Amino acid sequence: MSDLLIISGAPSHSAPTGVVVSHVAEVLRAAGHHVTLLDVRALPTLSLLTEDLRDPEIAAAVSAVLSADGVVVASPVYRAAYSGLVKALLDLLPKKALRGRAVLPLATGGSQGFLVAMDYALHPLLAAKGADQVVRGEFVLDQNVGSASAVLDAAAERLMLALTPRLRKVS
């Protein structure tokens, strides 16, 4: 099928964003896609923040984005802003790095008011990196993560549908 990359800004696997990432990865793998998880918190912080593209882990992370057919960007939302580590990673990408790739934004947060981060922060960042196939993402309240399976399944399905035209062009 296709190679998908999930960029996770979750502070831990058990945090709400980590749970969302695990669920979406499982759905995508069950559908036959090759899924790679990129935990931004595991990258060398100094190299990430100083944009050291010579660092092998940073170079591999950028390469993973550039070689993926589709990208899921998952971030917790703090005070109506996505994770700074996610932004630091996306800032390392070339200007049109996401062009032609299906992109699914996912976010979690403690208040419905943080939903604005999707439209007014995350989407513009993705657009700045050339994302021209952004599928409708999902914002899940932290308290609803355990019961969000249907919503997340639908988001994964939207991503897979967006991959179809790209896969036809490659074949």
Side-chain angles (χ1 to χ4, degrees), residues 66-126:
L66 297 176
S67 64
D69 297 312
V71 179
V72 176
V73 178
S75 177
V77 174
Y78 306 111
R79 298 186 182 181
Y82 47 76
S83 162
L85 288 177
V86 169
K87 181 170 185 336
L89 175 65
L90 294 177
D91 282 348
L92 292 175
L93 300 176
K95 186 173 178 144
K96 299 298 179 187
L98 297 177
R99 178 175 282 158
R101 289 171 177 74
V103 179
L104 172 65
L106 298 173
T108 61
S111 165
Q112 194 66 33
F114 292 164
L115 174 63
V116 300
M118 293 285 283
D119 290 333
Y120 295 104
L122 192 53
H123 281 245
L125 175 61
L126 297 173

Side-chain angles (χ1 to χ4, degrees), residues 44-54 58 88 92:
T45 307
L46 183 60
S47 295
L48 179 64
L49 297 178
T50 60
E51 300 181 353
D52 183 1
L53 294 170
R54 293 169 299 158
I58 299 299
L92 292 175

Side-chain angles (χ1 to χ4, degrees), residues 28-39:
L28 295 170
R29 285 185 182 117
H33 298 282
H34 177 261
V35 177
T36 302
L37 177 62
L38 174 56
D39 282 317

